[in-house]
Amino acid sequence: MSAPERIPPRSVTADPNPAELLAHGELTVRGRIREASNAALFCTVALDGRQASCVYKPVAGERPLWDFPDGTLAGREVAAYEVSEATGWGLVPPTVLREGPYGEGMCQLWIDVHAEAELLALVDGEEPEPGWKAVGLADVGEGRTALLVHADDERLRRLAVLDAVINNADRKGGHLLPTADGRLYGIDHGVTFNVENKLRTLLWGWAGEPLPDQAVGVLKRLRDALDGPLGARLAALITAAEIDATRARVDALLASGRHPEPGGDWPAIPWPPV
């Protein structure tokens, strides 16, 4: 199937129950998103006069990953949404696991990106300007380096905490979706929840700093939820070992009271960074 001439912008529906619409609506494929590394289809979903745009990623279109041998990318995408919802931060667009034209897959609400919102930048100098956090030096070609920085933004900080919980191995700049109404969403969570530490992100600006009090409170509630209804929902999406590892990561964050720092056994920055 060829890509449409222009993929419409990602748009948040005003539907009061978008998860129900995604799960039970009639799914119609409109085109393929060529930039995706696995099969990703742009669709519309309709139910009882309600309609929204969405992304459908069928399990049949996933490429095997040697370091993620268990489960599916689709299952982990939905698990990331479930954890995000349990935090109360709403950082992942509504996402469900459902049958579609090409079999079971994940279906996620399409988000309208506010292109003028600046969250990442490359700057000259060794220190970030006020309002920015340093990630590290980046090679920009011709023997030059620049400082990679991200905004000192509470929304990004919450996303950094979520990524530490779900062990996100691929937090790139292109996976950050700011909206015109001031919200921020993260997408593409197929490589998450590994039992080994694989955290790779561009959001290292708070590494080693104390967690905000609000984040500590959220992590405590999340830890309880993992032993209750949240854990039960995750059991249908990821393995028991991955759920145990998620509990252990939350425990470690609460014990340290700090944002994690890059480890030495895994590249800390995803490539390409966007």
Side-chain angles (χ1 to χ4, degrees):
M1 178 176 294
S2 61
E5 288 296 317
R6 176 180 178 272
I7 290 290
R10 290 177 172 266
S11 58
V12 179
T13 179
D15 193 280
N17 192 350
E20 178 198 37
L21 177 59
L22 292 171
H24 302 294
E26 181 180 358
L27 194 61
T28 303
V29 176
R30 303 298 184 183
R32 182 163 64 89
I33 302 171
R34 293 187 180 275
E35 295 82 0
S37 56
N38 293 275
L41 304 172
F42 173 73
C43 303
T44 54
V45 62
L47 179 69
D48 298 331
R50 301 143 60 197
Q51 180 169 304
S53 298
C54 59
V55 178
Y56 162 53
K57 296 181 181 179
V59 172
E62 296 180 4
R63 296 188 300 177
L65 298 173
W66 67 268
D67 52 342
F68 285 82
D70 299 318
T72 64
L73 303 181
R76 290 188 286 270
E77 292 247 29
V78 180
Y81 167 70
E82 291 286 356
V83 173
S84 169
E85 287 299 284
T87 66
W89 287 334
L91 295 169
V92 178
T95 311
V96 303
L97 197 64
R98 62 163 292 169
E99 287 293 322
Y102 299 102
E104 185 179 62
M106 84 88 175
C107 190
Q108 184 176 81
L109 192 67
W110 191 262
I111 301 298
D112 187 7
V113 177
H114 182 47
E116 296 181 3
E118 191 173 17
L119 299 173
L120 296 162
L122 287 167
V123 298
D124 293 325
E126 298 181 355
E127 296 293 333
E129 296 291 329
W132 295 86
K133 305 288 287 187
V135 178
L137 292 173
D139 184 356
V140 294
E142 299 182 353
R144 295 180 57 247
T145 60
L147 185 65
L148 176 63
V149 298
H150 64 67
D152 188 2
D153 186 307
E154 184 61 29
R155 300 170 303 169
L156 285 180
R157 192 166 192 173
R158 290 176 175 178
L159 195 57
V161 174
L162 176 67
D163 283 344
V165 170
I166 66 176
N167 198 15
N168 192 351
D170 196 33
R171 175 59 73 206
K172 297 176 180 177
H175 300 166
L176 304 173
L177 306 182
T179 65
D181 63 0
R183 297 198 62 170
L184 176 69
Y185 293 95
I187 60 168
D188 285 351
H189 297 107
V191 285
T192 49
F193 295 101
N194 202 293
V195 296
E196 299 179 3
N197 179 25
K198 293 185 180 290
L199 183 59
R200 291 195 305 175
T201 176
L202 294 179
L203 304 180
W204 287 116
W206 297 283
E209 293 187 14
L211 292 165
D213 290 343
Q214 189 209 41
V216 172
V218 165
L219 289 170
K220 289 178 178 178
R221 293 192 295 273
L222 182 61
R223 182 63 181 84
D224 291 338
L226 284 165
D227 286 336
L230 174 61
R233 292 194 297 274
L234 294 180
L237 301 167
I238 58 177
T239 68
E242 289 167 336
I243 297 172
D244 287 342
T246 303
R247 292 189 183 100
R249 287 190 295 270
V250 175
D251 287 341
L253 287 167
L254 289 170
S256 71
R258 295 180 177 275
H259 286 272
E261 299 185 71
D265 298 329
W266 185 256
I269 304 291
W271 188 261
V274 295

